[in-house]
Structures are given as structure tokens and as C-alpha cells.
Amino acid sequence: MSILIMGMGYVGLTTALVFSELGWKVTGMDPDERKINSLLQGALPFYEPGLGTLLKKHLHANMSFSSDPKTAVQQHSFVFLCVGTPSQTDGSANLGYIQQAAEWIGKYMQEYKLIVVKSTVPIGTQEKIARWIQDAQPLPIPFDVISNPEFLREGTALHDALSPDRIIIGSNSEQAAEQLKQLYVKLDCPVQITTPKTAEIIKYAANAFLATKISFVNELARFCDKIGVNISDVSEGIGMDHRIGKHFLRAGIGYGGSCFPKDVKALLFTAKEKQAQLTILEKVFQVNETQFLYFLDNLERQLASFQGKTIAILGLAFKPDTDDLRESPALSVIKSLVEKQAVVRAHDPVAKLPSTFLSDKVIQCETIEETVSQADAVILCTEWPEYRKTNWGELKKRMKQHYFFDGRNVLSSEQMSAWGFHYQGIGNR
Ligand code: UGA
């Protein structure tokens, strides 16, 4: 059995390398020739721990790459769709890349294919894909389209894909579902076989639920600020209840990334289309949109004004262990600070600020020391481990004023205060 993966983004490349690791022959296809050429040289198009080693291990053995959809489609029996489904301005998902891939499959296939949809797609897309393939076929050839959503996280993609909590297979054909199950036979986890529509909604519901946990705890953090209770202690206390679970209860400046913001909006869009109301999810979105503003308002009150102040931003990526800046709360913080006429010195161990952000008022520094030099305040936006390990007692000497605003509640309030910082997190006053 040979596997073609279309789309060499996070999900596509990780899936391709994981299948190689599981012993299958895999081709990764992407129309972006530059990306394919650099993958053929063994270079990853993004930062993700562990993937580089797997790429070197399997390149030219189990794993090959191509930018030619015709031969790629013709040479493989399984075709995985892992292309992007970015948000459009109205919140709906853009299915342009999916449609293009489906049309290639229809146009070039010469025998039965099992098409597997891993991209996050709105409810009913599996049916659309089948139609697009059919419409593009010069002659009718049978195929199946299965929905098989992915649940990996950036930063821990490899671990998540090799040790999943579950595999969801949404298929109208029992035989096709069994064939797909065989690809995962070496993974030890439950497999749920269901309808394509159910699989599609399971993916959105999982992300929406996790986003709900985060917005719940973020709103509770605002309440904790009012009553003088520490939200981290509250999260610990409620998380020990197995029915609640300890994960995704870390308060902060909000969720970002390419998934939660996009998927929450897409689900709300579908609900509106179907004239259904997802009231809780509307509020989840609203809390997230305002969380960094709530934080900044508090800081502004302490500093009297941001105007002319030098603010050191620690962490740009939407979470640690990635260089992904999509929907990163750090970028919203920087934009807001610039509007309020602050000077920004930013740092991230791997992510780089886009050139559109850089100016004489916004610079990116190489080291933490350089970043905090002459700063009035530090705002920690991403909880990279190096920020926790830094000797802040030492670095304090480089700063002009000693305000430290911890947007991820990762440093010890007691220790920072003992070093003489005006330290403030979220929900820990
Ligand atoms: C998320 C899901 O966790 C994956 O299961 C899913 O496969 C993926 O989206 C996707 O749909 O492709 P990801 O966006 O990579 O994964 O990262 P997460 O670890 O979920 O973090 C998302 C955001 O939530 C980050 O900004 C993070 O800082 C924030 N977060 C997370 C919190 O603010 N508090 C928490 O307790 C946990």
C-alpha cells in the first residue's frame, strides 16, 4: 500500500513522516516547488521538534516528495488531503485548496483510490469533495472519500501523531474504513468508526471544547483579580477532579494559532448558516478577543501611560516550541502598544517578527538581556522555558523601571516580588 499526502504543512508533513516511521511508503506532494526542493534537501519549512530527525531518517528511503500532482495521484492507492483551510473574512473556511486537490485526483486517477480528508473542513465537505472528484473525472472510476480528522498540536506534533488518544474514521463504506484502519494498525489507541459528517463535527467540537475551557478559565481569572484569589490555585484545585481534567486550564492572554481561532469562527459561521445558536461558543470567542485588552488595560493603569515607555516583549509565537505566529496574542499586544505610542523590543527563541511589524519603534533582539535593556516593563507573552530559567534578579539591573507583566502566569510571584519587581500575572492579584 502506498500513501500520497497532499499538502506539506504541519499536518501533512507530520502525517507523512509518521506513516514513514510506521513502515509505509509515502510521497509528500505540494505544488510549492520551493518547499518540495528544500524538503528534498532535508530542510523543514517550519520549526517543529523531532520532525527534522525523522525527515533525515526516511528521506529517499520510505519518504519521497513531489510537486507534480499527476504522477503523484497515479502512483498511490491512498490519497490524504492535508491542505490548508484558512479563514475567510466572514469566518467561513476557504475550501479552494481542497477543491483544487479534489479536481487533480478526479482528473488524473486511472484506478480505484481511497481518499482520506485530514484537513479541518466544515460539515458536509466530504460530500462536496466526492462531487468535485466525480465532476473532474473524464470517465467514471470508483473511489471512496473518508473523513479522518487530525488532533495533533504544534510543538508536540510527533508525539501526538504517534501516540493519539483516538482515531476517528468517518466513512460510508465499511470496507474502506477497514482499509484505512490497517494503516494505523501499529498505533495503540481506540478507533471510532462513524459517518463522515459525525467525524467532521467531532474535530470542530474537540477544538471548540478546548477553547471553551481556556476562555472559561480566562474569564474566571478576571473574577479572581477582583476577589484577590490566585487562578492557578483554582485551576489546580478543579483540575484534580477527573470529570474536569487538569489540561487546558492555564489562564493567560488568550488562545492563538492556526486552529482554535479559525475553527471557533468556522463553527459559528456554520451554526448561523443552519440557523442554530451556539451561545456558549459566541462568548468563548468574545472572551478570547478581549483577554489581551483586559491585561493591557491593567498594565496601562500601573504605568500611568504606555506613551514613550519601552516595553520588552518576551515570546512572539502563539505557544512555545513553534515558530508559528498565526493569530498569536503577542502580535495583538505589540499592535496595541504601538497604537499607544510605546517603544517595543521583542524576543523569541525561534519566531521572527514579520517585516511589516518592524520600524524604529519596534525591533527584535537576539538575546533576552538585550531585549530588557532600558525597558520600563517586561510583558511575557509566550511561556518559553528559557524565560522561566532566566535569573531575573540579575537582569533587573539592566531595566529602567521594574514592572514585570506575566501574560502566562509562569513565574513565581513571591520570587519576582522578592527581587524587587512590580510583578503581575493574570488572575493572581
Ligand atoms: C490545537 C488542538 O490542541 C489540537 O488537538 C488540534 O489538532 C489542533 O489545534 C488543530 O486543529 O490542528 P494547537 O493549536 O497546535 O492545537 O495548540 P494548543 O496546544 O491547543 O494551543 C492553542 C492555544 O491555546 C495556544 O495559544 C496556547 O497558548 C493556548 N492555551 C492552551 C492556553 O491559553 N491555555 C491552556 O491551558 C492551553
Side-chain angles (χ1 to χ4, degrees):
M1 286 193 281
S2 63
I3 302 172
L4 170 66
I5 311 277
M6 288 181 137
M8 287 291 96
Y10 270 99
V11 172
L13 186 54
T14 309
T15 306
L17 289 168
V18 162
F19 279 133
S20 306
E21 181 74 1
L22 295 175
W24 304 111
K25 285 265 177 220
V26 184
T27 300
M29 205 290 293
D30 198 293
D32 182 343
E33 282 184 28
R34 274 214 340 234
K35 197 186 259 184
I36 291 300
N37 285 336
S38 71
L39 283 166
L40 284 166
Q41 308 293 318
L44 290 182
F46 47 79
Y47 176 86
E48 178 66 36
L51 274 198
T53 314
L54 265 201
L55 177 59
K56 288 199 178 68
K57 180 173 167 193
H58 294 296
L59 187 59
H60 308 307
N62 277 356
M63 179 83 235
S64 60
F65 295 98
S66 164
S67 54
D68 171 20
K70 185 174 177 185
T71 30
V73 167
Q74 287 173 355
Q75 287 172 353
H76 299 83
S77 40
F78 285 87
V79 184
F80 279 73
L81 299 185
C82 297
V83 298
T85 53
S87 272
Q88 310 195 97
T89 39
D90 59 3
S92 64
N94 178 350
L95 296 181
Y97 300 112
I98 290 269
Q99 182 168 358
Q100 170 68 89
E103 286 169 359
W104 278 330
I105 297 168
K107 191 166 159 199
Y108 299 131
M109 67 191 280
Q110 294 169 326
E111 57 190 1
Y112 172 83
K113 302 278 169 204
L114 204 169
I115 295 109
V116 186
V117 189
K118 264 211 181 292
S119 308
T120 303
V121 290
I123 292 77
T125 304
Q126 178 266 359
E127 278 170 15
K128 280 189 184 163
I129 293 172
R131 225 173 21 247
W132 288 326
I133 294 175
Q134 222 160 24
D135 290 348
Q137 285 183 327
L139 292 168
I141 301 169
F143 63 89
D144 284 296
V145 183
I146 292 188
S147 169
N148 173 219
E150 181 52 60
F151 300 99
L152 61 83
R153 290 162 296 174
E154 291 182 22
T156 51
L158 208 51
H159 166 271
D160 293 352
L162 280 168
S163 316
D165 288 338
R166 76 301 207 188
I167 290 165
I168 305 290
I169 296 178
S171 176
N172 292 324
S173 148
E174 252 176 62
Q175 205 187 349
E178 279 308 315
Q179 265 184 283
L180 178 59
K181 213 173 143 186
Q182 283 313 305
L183 292 186
Y184 293 109
V185 76
K186 288 190 187 159
L187 300 182
D188 180 22
C189 70
V191 178
Q192 181 184 0
I193 298 183
T194 181
T195 67
K197 260 192 197 168
T198 312
E200 287 167 344
I201 188 68
I202 284 172
K203 167 70 192 192
Y204 277 105
N207 275 359
F209 185 74
L210 293 170
T212 304
K213 278 185 98 172
I214 299 170
S215 276
F216 173 80
V217 85
N218 280 342
E219 195 173 44
L220 203 64
R222 302 185 196 185
F223 176 62
C224 283
D225 272 338
K226 294 265 185 290
I227 57 170
V229 163
N230 190 327
I231 186 67
S232 302
D233 296 340
V234 178
S235 292
E236 188 186 340
I238 61 173
M240 282 188 276
D241 184 328
H242 291 292
R243 294 167 305 170
I244 296 172
K246 62 182 179 188
H247 301 290
F248 283 70
L249 290 180
R250 281 180 286 111
I253 49 173
Y255 59 74
S258 65
C259 305
F260 289 173
K262 165 176 83 78
D263 294 349
V264 165
K265 274 188 264 179
L267 195 50
L268 286 172
F269 182 87
T270 307
K272 203 168 155 197
E273 253 188 349
K274 305 281 174 204
Q275 285 159 12
Q277 189 106 31
L278 292 176
T279 321
I280 294 173
L281 208 57
E282 285 168 11
K283 298 293 172 196
V284 166
F285 172 77
Q286 199 182 317
V287 168
N288 200 58
E289 290 288 290
T290 53
Q291 185 70 0
F292 82 94
L293 290 172
Y294 163 78
F295 187 55
L296 280 185
D297 280 354
N298 278 338
L299 314 192
E300 195 169 16
R301 265 196 299 278
Q302 292 203 36
L303 290 173
S305 156
F306 281 123
Q307 193 175 4
K309 300 277 184 345
T310 299
I311 312 293
I313 298 289
L314 295 184
L316 297 168
F318 82 97
K319 62 183 276 190
D321 281 325
T322 179
D323 58 357
D324 198 340
L325 291 171
R326 283 176 289 178
E327 303 273 346
S328 175
L331 298 190
S332 307
V333 167
I334 293 175
K335 269 191 208 145
S336 192
L337 289 173
V338 170
E339 274 164 25
K340 290 171 185 288
Q341 296 173 11
V343 174
V344 174
R345 299 168 69 81
H347 177 268
D348 190 283
V350 293
K352 295 274 170 268
L353 265 182
S355 55
T356 46
F357 269 78
L358 298 170
S359 70
D360 56 336
K361 295 272 189 293
V362 181
I363 61 162
Q364 179 158 2
C365 304
E366 287 298 317
T367 62
I368 304 174
E369 289 78 5
E370 209 189 317
T371 313
V372 303
S373 283
Q374 292 307 305
D376 293 285
V378 173
I379 304 182
L380 190 154
C381 291
T382 316
E383 66 277 33
W384 285 96
E386 32 274 80
Y387 300 145
R388 214 173 297 163
K389 290 183 203 145
T390 299
N391 183 340
W392 287 106
E394 265 307 302
L395 278 201
K396 183 178 159 239
K397 296 175 196 152
R398 291 174 173 258
M399 295 176 62
K400 205 187 315 168
Q401 296 195 74
H402 305 121
Y403 288 93
F404 199 110
F405 304 122
D406 184 352
R408 295 291 174 185
N409 284 350
V410 285
L411 297 179
S412 149
S413 167
E414 289 77 24
Q415 175 66 82
M416 293 301 276
S417 305
W419 275 328
F421 279 99
H422 306 286
Y423 174 86
Q424 197 193 307
I426 292 189
N428 71 351
R429 266 187 289 169

